[in-house]
């Protein structure tokens, strides 16, 4: 497959075609195999990568660092209190400075507008490591995991259950619509995705043959599914909404009973992580009903969440290699 992505940013999956998304997933699978066989070559030798984080991260930050090191690049972590960014210096000026020194920039933070501005002003590829609206690199890892498990992506039936308007749900819907999947969002009506995004995804679906269903009915939504996917109920920056979300989303917690309702014995469970499944965190101690998935599901054979977490590395490596070389 000949796909040229050199010089491109990844701000949202809306900007990528089906062919380009599939190319990145296949490249990631190849990189993973090369690493296992000791045949990785250092394709990003002498490249400098800036990692800007306004919000915290385990997987995304570590994936960018390990992927860069695998390929011979150097990373510089720039946390929100480390640089003048947005505080004493505009995003536009910061972008122009970083673009003179770095070959690529990752950004994780609040506003989508910030990552868009970084791309517009830096002159180098910018990768969205999560904003309030989108989390595109996550979806590449999710689809890679599905491909590893099922061997195919088109027509896969995926249900996202939970906060149907968060960054992961939004990006999953865009990716599923582009790739021609049977995609469902199952959430309370108040957390349905924004209508303009649903309309955009329905337009992609017309082209790809995807089906998109938004429902508050669990039996209707999970029927015949291949994959059940969830995320925490209150995203970073929404901590004040936790009590309200718990009361809205408690019926949507992923349970063994819900997995049985799919009628699929080989159902796959995915979660972008972090998760409150075992209540072993300070926040979970404070809000014991915050748990979006029961531990039995999280620890079951259906759960592929740590393959999915590892695949963040390979897909991010594929994105950096494709857009920088
Ligand atoms: N899934 C994900 O983005 O994890 P982090 O927040 O740890 O990066
Ligand atoms: N929706 C979550 C995803 C974390 C990877 C958040 O934004 O906090």
């Amino acid at each position: 497959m000949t796909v040229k992505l050199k010089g491109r940013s990844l701000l949202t999956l809306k900007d990528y075609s089906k062919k380009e998304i599939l190319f990145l997933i296949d490249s990631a699978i190849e990189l993973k195999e090369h690493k296992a066989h000791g045949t990785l070559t250092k394709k990003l030798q002498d490249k400098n990568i800036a990692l800007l984080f306004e919000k915290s991260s385990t997987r995304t930050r570590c994936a960018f660092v390990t992927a860069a090191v695998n390929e011979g690049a150097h990373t510089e972590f720039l946390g929100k209190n480390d640089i003048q960014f947005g505080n004493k210096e505009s995003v536009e000026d910061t972008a122009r400075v970083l673009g003179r020194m770095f070959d690529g920039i990752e950004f994780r933070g609040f506003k989508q507008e910030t990552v868009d501005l970084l791309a517009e002003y830096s002159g180098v590829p910018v990768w969205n490591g999560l904003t309030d609206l989108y989390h595109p690199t996550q979806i590449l890892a999710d689809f890679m995991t599905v491909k590893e498990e099922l061997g195919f992506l088109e027509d896969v039936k995926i249900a996202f259950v939970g906060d149907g308007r968060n960054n992961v749900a939004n990006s999953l819907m865009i990716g599923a619509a582009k790739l021609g999947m049977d995609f469902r969002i199952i959430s309370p009506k108040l957390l349905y995705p924004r209508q303009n995004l649903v309309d955009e995804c329905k337009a992609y679906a017309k082209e790809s043959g995807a089906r998109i269903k938004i429902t508050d009915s669990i039996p209707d939504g999970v029927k015949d599914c291949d994959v059940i996917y969830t995320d925490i109920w209150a995203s970073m920056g929404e901590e004040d909404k936790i009590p309200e979300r718990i009361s809205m989303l408690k019926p949507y917690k992923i349970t063994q009973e819900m997995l049985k309702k799919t009628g699929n014995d080989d159902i796959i469970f995915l979660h972008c992580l972090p998760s409150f499944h075992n209540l072993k965190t300070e926040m979970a101690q404070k809000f014991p009903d915050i748990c979006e998935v029961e531990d039995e599901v999280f620890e079951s054979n259906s759960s592929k969440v740590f393959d999915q977490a590892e695949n963040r590395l390979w897909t991010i490596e594929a994105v950096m290699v494709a857009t920088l070389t």
Side-chain angles (χ1 to χ4, degrees):
M1 203 179 337
T2 50
V3 172
K4 286 210 164 39
L5 294 174
K6 187 173 180 185
R8 291 267 297 275
S9 289
L10 174 54
L11 307 174
T12 158
L13 287 176
K14 287 183 196 178
D15 302 334
Y16 278 60
S17 67
K18 174 177 181 174
K19 194 172 163 188
E20 289 166 343
I21 295 170
L22 292 176
F23 169 78
L24 289 171
I25 293 165
D26 288 343
S27 305
I29 291 172
E30 277 174 30
L31 289 169
K32 189 174 184 176
E33 282 165 7
H34 278 304
K35 177 76 173 187
H37 295 120
T39 52
L40 263 187
T41 53
K42 298 209 179 288
K43 291 176 280 302
L44 300 180
Q45 197 88 51
D46 301 328
K47 301 281 186 204
N48 290 308
I49 311 289
L51 305 177
L52 264 67
F53 281 83
E54 285 181 342
K55 292 178 177 172
S56 54
S57 165
T58 299
R59 281 142 288 269
T60 309
R61 176 176 173 178
C62 297
F64 270 98
V65 171
T66 49
V69 170
N70 276 346
E71 296 292 343
H74 167 80
T75 57
E76 188 62 26
F77 179 80
L78 305 167
K80 78 172 163 41
N81 297 319
D82 296 334
I83 55 172
Q84 313 287 12
F85 188 56
N87 207 2
K88 250 168 92 179
E89 193 163 39
S90 66
V91 176
E92 290 88 333
D93 288 357
T94 307
R96 284 180 285 185
V97 173
L98 295 179
R100 297 292 182 105
M101 301 186 191
F102 291 93
D103 300 285
I105 302 168
E106 179 275 356
F107 172 79
R108 163 171 291 201
F110 294 90
K111 293 186 195 149
Q112 180 68 21
E113 188 198 346
T114 308
V115 76
D116 292 343
L117 279 174
L118 282 170
E120 189 182 339
Y121 283 86
S122 67
V124 297
V126 172
W127 311 293
N128 179 353
L130 179 148
T131 60
D132 288 346
L133 271 189
Y134 303 121
H135 196 5
T137 63
Q138 175 69 53
I139 279 44
L140 297 175
D142 305 338
F143 289 171
M144 173 177 173
T145 311
V146 172
K147 187 155 186 193
E148 286 176 330
E149 289 300 317
L150 299 179
F152 63 98
L153 287 170
E154 210 161 322
D155 293 327
V156 165
K157 301 183 190 71
I158 301 193
F160 180 92
V161 187
D163 175 6
R165 37 136 299 283
N166 80 7
N167 40 19
V168 171
N170 288 344
S171 287
L172 199 60
M173 180 161 66
I174 298 166
K178 292 244 170 177
L179 295 199
M181 296 176 171
D182 178 336
F183 181 70
R184 304 110 189 246
I185 284 191
I186 308 169
S187 75
K189 285 195 172 64
L190 281 173
L191 295 175
Y192 275 7
R194 293 159 196 85
Q195 194 55 45
N196 59 352
L197 183 64
V198 176
D199 293 342
E200 270 180 88
C201 288
K202 286 195 169 156
Y204 301 140
K206 258 195 183 148
E207 209 174 300
S208 67
R211 277 158 290 166
I212 295 173
K213 179 183 346 215
I214 318 290
T215 176
D216 61 356
S217 158
I218 293 168
D220 183 33
V222 303
K223 194 168 176 284
D224 300 328
C225 260
D226 300 303
V227 180
I228 299 275
Y229 192 130
T230 196
D231 185 6
I232 50 169
W233 292 341
S235 289
M236 287 179 275
E238 295 184 329
E239 287 71 17
D240 58 322
K241 295 195 168 74
I242 290 174
E244 161 195 328
R245 289 289 167 75
I246 289 175
S247 61
M248 273 197 262
L249 283 163
K250 237 175 143 182
Y252 294 85
K253 176 175 177 169
I254 312 296
T255 58
Q256 291 282 14
E257 198 193 325
M258 188 193 289
L259 296 198
K260 280 202 195 90
K261 287 199 172 93
T262 63
N264 179 357
D265 293 339
D266 300 319
I267 183 75
I268 294 167
F269 170 69
L270 295 182
H271 192 314
C272 55
L273 305 182
S275 164
F276 290 113
H277 66 101
N278 53 14
L279 296 175
K280 285 187 182 167
T281 66
E282 272 174 38
M283 201 179 276
Q285 303 292 318
K286 206 167 148 202
F287 299 101
D289 288 327
I290 202 170
C291 185
E292 73 288 350
V293 50
E294 64 183 20
D295 209 31
E296 291 75 10
V297 170
F298 190 93
E299 299 294 353
S300 71
N301 289 336
S302 298
S303 174
K304 305 297 170 198
V305 298
F306 294 108
D307 295 324
Q308 189 185 0
E310 178 191 339
N311 289 340
R312 299 297 310 286
L313 158 60
W314 305 114
T315 43
I316 282 172
E317 193 164 321
V319 168
M320 286 198 290
V321 169
T323 56
L324 290 179
T325 62

